[in-house]
C-alpha cells in the first residue's frame, strides 16, 4: 500500500534533521505537502501552514504555558480572557462571522461559534448579535457546563451543543454552527448528501444527520455529540449544520464552505437530466488515505474497496427519472367524479 505524506510528516522530517527531498518515488503527497516541497525547492525554506499560522498568529499571542480551567481564580480567568492570545482568537471568530454573513450562511442573529481555550473552558459568540457585525469585546468565556465566566454580553443560547461536541470529541478545538441554505435544504429533507462525486468533499467532510430537537436543549446537543466520533459535520434535521475542527475556527468554517458548495453543485447536477458520474472505489480509497493522514475521521476508514460507494444513497438525477403515475389520484372516487361532472354540465349549460 502506498504511503500518504502530509505537511505534518514533512515538518517532522525537517524537525528531525532529515532532508525532505529524499522521499521515495512511490508515496502519495497531499496537495499541501506538494506545495510545501515546491516552496522548499524554490525558496530553500519551508512553506508555512496557513491555518496554523492563523491560529498562532504573531508570536505575542501564543497559548499560555499553563492552560487555565474552570476552577482557576476569577482574576486569572479575567487576565487570560483579556490577554493578546484570547484577543487574537476573538478576532478570528469575528472574521469568520463576517464570512458567514457575507455568504448568507446566517440569518438574523442565527449561527454561533466556539473555540476551546483550556481544559474545560471555551470562548464563544454572544446571543442576539448578527454574526456579520461582532466585535472582539462581544465575546464570552464559558465553562464546559455553559456557565458564563467572563464577557459583558450573554453567551449564545446554543452553547451546550458546542460544549457537548468538545466534551465527547477531545480533538475538537473549534466549532461552527450556521444555516447555509443548500445544506440546510438537505437537512430539512432528511437527506444525507450522496458521496463519491467531488474530491474536496470526500477529503475534508464526514457528514451525518442528527434528528430534530429544540435548538439549545441538552437533548439536541446529545444527539449531535453521539455522531462526532466518526463525523466532523452534522446536519441537524429541520435546522442547520454544525462542524468541528481539530485545527482552528477557520478550518471549522471551511467545512461549511465545502459542504455548501457541494450541496449546490449536486443540486445543479441533478437538474441536468443525466445520471451523474461517480468516482470508482479505488479512486475514493486514495482520497480516504489522504483524509486519514490529515487526522480527519470518517466511518469508511478501514473499509474494503468493494464496500466503498456501494450503497443505496440518494443520487442526483435519479429522482428526475421516477415515471409519472398513470392511475388517477388515490381517493378520487366515483361520487366526486359525478359531482365534478354535474358542475361541469351546469357551467356548460350557462355558456350556451
Ligand atoms: Zn441554529
Amino acid at each position: 500500500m502506498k504511503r500518504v505524506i502530509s505537511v505534518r510528516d514533512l515538518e517532522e522530517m525537517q524537525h528531525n534533521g532529515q532532508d525532505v527531498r529524499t522521499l521515495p518515488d512511490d508515496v502519495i503527497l497531499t496537495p499541501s505537502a506538494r506545495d510545501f516541497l515546491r516552496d522548499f525547492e524554490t525558496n530553500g525554506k519551508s512553506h508555512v501552514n496557513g491555518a496554523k499560522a492563523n491560529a498562532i498568529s504573531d508570536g505575542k499571542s501564543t497559548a499560555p504555558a499553563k492552560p487555565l480551567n474552570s476552577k482557576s481564580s476569577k482574576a486569572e480567568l479575567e487576565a487570560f480572557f483579556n490577554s493578546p492570545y484570547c484577543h487574537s482568537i476573538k478576532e478570528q471568530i469575528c472574521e469568520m462571522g463576517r464570512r458567514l454573513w457575507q455568504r448568507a450562511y446566517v440569518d438574523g442573529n442565527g449561527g454561533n461559534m466556539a473555540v476551546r481555550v483550556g481544559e474545560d473552558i471555551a470562548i464563544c459568540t454572544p446571543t442576539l448579535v448578527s454574526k456579520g457585525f461582532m466585535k472582539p469585546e462581544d465575546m464570552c468565556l464559558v465553562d464546559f457546563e455553559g456557565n458564563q465566566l467572563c464577557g459583558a454580553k450573554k453567551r449564545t443560547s446554543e452553547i451546550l451543543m458546542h460544549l457537548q461536541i468538545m466534551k465527547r470529541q477531545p480533538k475538537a478545538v473549534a466549532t461552527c454552527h450556521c444555516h447555509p441554505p443548500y445544506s440546510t435544504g438537505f437537512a430539512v429533507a432528511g437527506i444525507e448528501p450522496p458521496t463519491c462525486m467531488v474530491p474536496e468533499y470526500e477529503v475534508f467532510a464526514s457528514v451525518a444527520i442528527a434528528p430534530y430537537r429544540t435548538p439549545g436543549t441538552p437533548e439536541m446537543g446529545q444527539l449531535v455529540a453521539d455522531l462526532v466520533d466518526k463525523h466532523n459535520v452534522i446536519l441537524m434535521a429541520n435546522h442547520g449544520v454544525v462542524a468541528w475542527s481539530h485545527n482552528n475556527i477557520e478550518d471549522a468554517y471551511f467545512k461549511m464552505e465545502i459542504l455548501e458548495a457541494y450541496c449546490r453543485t449536486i443540486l445543479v447536477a441533478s437538474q441536468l437530466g443525466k445520471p451523474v458520474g461517480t468516482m470508482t472505489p479505488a479512486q475514493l480509497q486514495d482520497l480516504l488515505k489522504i483524509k486519514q493522514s490529515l487526522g480527519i475521521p470518517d466511518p469508511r476508514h478501514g473499509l474494503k474497496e468493494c464496500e466503498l460507494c456501494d450503497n443505496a444513497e440518494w443520487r442526483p438525477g435519479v429522482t428526475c427519472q421516477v415515471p409519472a403515475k398513470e392511475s388517477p389520484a388515490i381517493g378520487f372516487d366515483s361520487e366526486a367524479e359525478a359531482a365534478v361532472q354535474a358542475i361541469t354540465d351546469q357551467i356548460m349549460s350557462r355558456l350556451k
Side-chain angles (χ1 to χ4, degrees):
M1 193 189 281
K2 284 184 186 172
R3 200 179 146 210
V4 177
I5 301 289
S6 68
V7 170
R8 208 178 299 168
D9 297 321
L10 296 175
E11 282 172 345
E12 211 173 289
M13 283 177 75
Q14 278 192 325
H15 186 75
N16 298 332
Q18 289 169 269
D19 188 344
V20 292
R21 290 163 299 184
T22 57
L23 288 170
D25 289 340
D26 62 341
V27 295
I28 300 174
L29 290 170
T30 64
S32 34
R34 211 170 295 136
D35 288 346
F36 182 103
L37 286 177
R38 201 177 301 132
D39 281 8
F40 187 86
E41 290 294 344
T42 47
N43 307 327
K45 62 179 168 60
S46 58
H47 164 91
V48 178
N49 181 321
K52 269 192 195 155
N54 189 331
I56 296 165
S57 192
D58 52 11
K60 66 175 190 239
S61 57
T62 45
K66 178 180 154 264
L68 300 193
N69 61 44
S70 60
K71 303 281 179 300
S72 302
S73 73
K74 177 84 184 147
E76 269 184 312
L77 288 168
E78 280 292 343
F80 171 65
F81 188 60
N82 294 308
S83 66
Y85 170 69
C86 284
H87 188 75
S88 85
I89 289 189
K90 292 172 190 173
E91 282 183 327
Q92 286 168 38
I93 296 176
C94 293
E95 168 61 19
M96 295 314 123
R98 273 189 289 277
R99 294 193 209 171
L100 288 171
W101 185 84
Q102 278 164 352
R103 280 190 170 263
Y105 293 179
V106 287
D107 36 271
N109 295 324
N112 26 75
M113 286 172 274
V115 175
R116 188 198 291 258
V117 289
E119 203 180 301
D120 60 349
I121 50 175
I123 292 181
C124 71
T125 49
T127 189
L128 302 176
V129 175
S130 164
K131 300 296 124 15
F133 303 89
M134 297 184 295
K135 296 186 285 300
E137 55 268 33
D138 295 336
M139 299 301 137
C140 315
L141 184 73
V142 291
D143 68 18
F144 270 20
E145 301 312 312
N147 302 308
Q148 186 148 354
L149 303 171
C150 301
K153 288 225 160 76
K154 194 175 165 352
R155 57 134 175 97
T156 166
S157 61
E158 288 186 274
I159 190 61
L160 288 182
M161 175 180 71
H162 298 261
L163 300 170
Q164 278 167 288
I165 292 173
M166 289 178 186
K167 279 200 261 187
R168 195 72 78 82
Q169 176 49 271
K171 287 191 206 154
V173 171
T175 47
C176 176
H177 161 58
C178 59
H179 313 142
Y182 291 87
S183 319
T184 304
F186 278 81
V188 170
I191 296 173
E192 230 171 75
T195 54
C196 302
M197 286 190 267
V198 173
E200 183 106 319
Y201 180 75
E202 298 302 334
V203 171
F204 295 106
S206 302
V207 177
I209 303 189
Y212 179 82
R213 291 293 185 280
T214 307
T217 58
E219 294 76 33
M220 183 70 252
Q222 188 67 39
L223 288 166
V224 168
D226 285 346
L227 296 165
V228 296
D229 179 30
K230 294 204 165 81
H231 302 91
N232 59 1
V233 180
I234 313 297
L235 294 179
M236 292 185 280
N238 302 86
H239 178 179
V241 191
V242 61
W244 66 264
S245 163
H246 60 299
N247 287 322
N248 53 45
I249 190 65
E250 186 180 40
D251 189 45
Y253 163 78
F254 280 164
K255 310 262 179 270
M256 293 300 172
E257 286 194 356
I258 291 164
L259 172 72
E260 184 68 352
Y262 184 68
C263 290
R264 277 173 79 177
T265 303
I266 57 178
L267 212 61
V268 171
S270 75
Q271 306 300 305
L272 299 177
K274 261 186 85 183
V276 297
T278 53
M279 53 191 73
T280 65
Q283 289 167 333
L284 179 66
Q285 192 70 278
D286 275 350
L287 297 174
L288 289 175
K289 276 183 210 158
I290 297 175
K291 189 173 205 167
Q292 206 161 10
S293 76
L294 294 173
I296 300 174
D298 193 296
R300 297 168 298 179
H301 289 327
L303 286 187
K304 292 194 199 84
E305 245 173 45
C306 61
E307 296 168 309
L308 297 169
C309 299
D310 181 21
N311 49 46
E313 291 163 330
W314 171 80
R315 291 275 160 210
V318 175
T319 48
C320 306
Q321 295 176 345
V322 175
K325 284 204 175 80
E326 278 168 26
S327 54
I330 301 160
F332 196 83
D333 56 24
S334 54
E335 211 175 300
E337 209 169 337
V340 170
Q341 191 57 51
I343 294 165
T344 312
D345 290 348
Q346 264 181 24
I347 293 169
M348 291 307 285
S349 66
R350 251 183 252 158
L351 289 175
K352 274 176 194 165

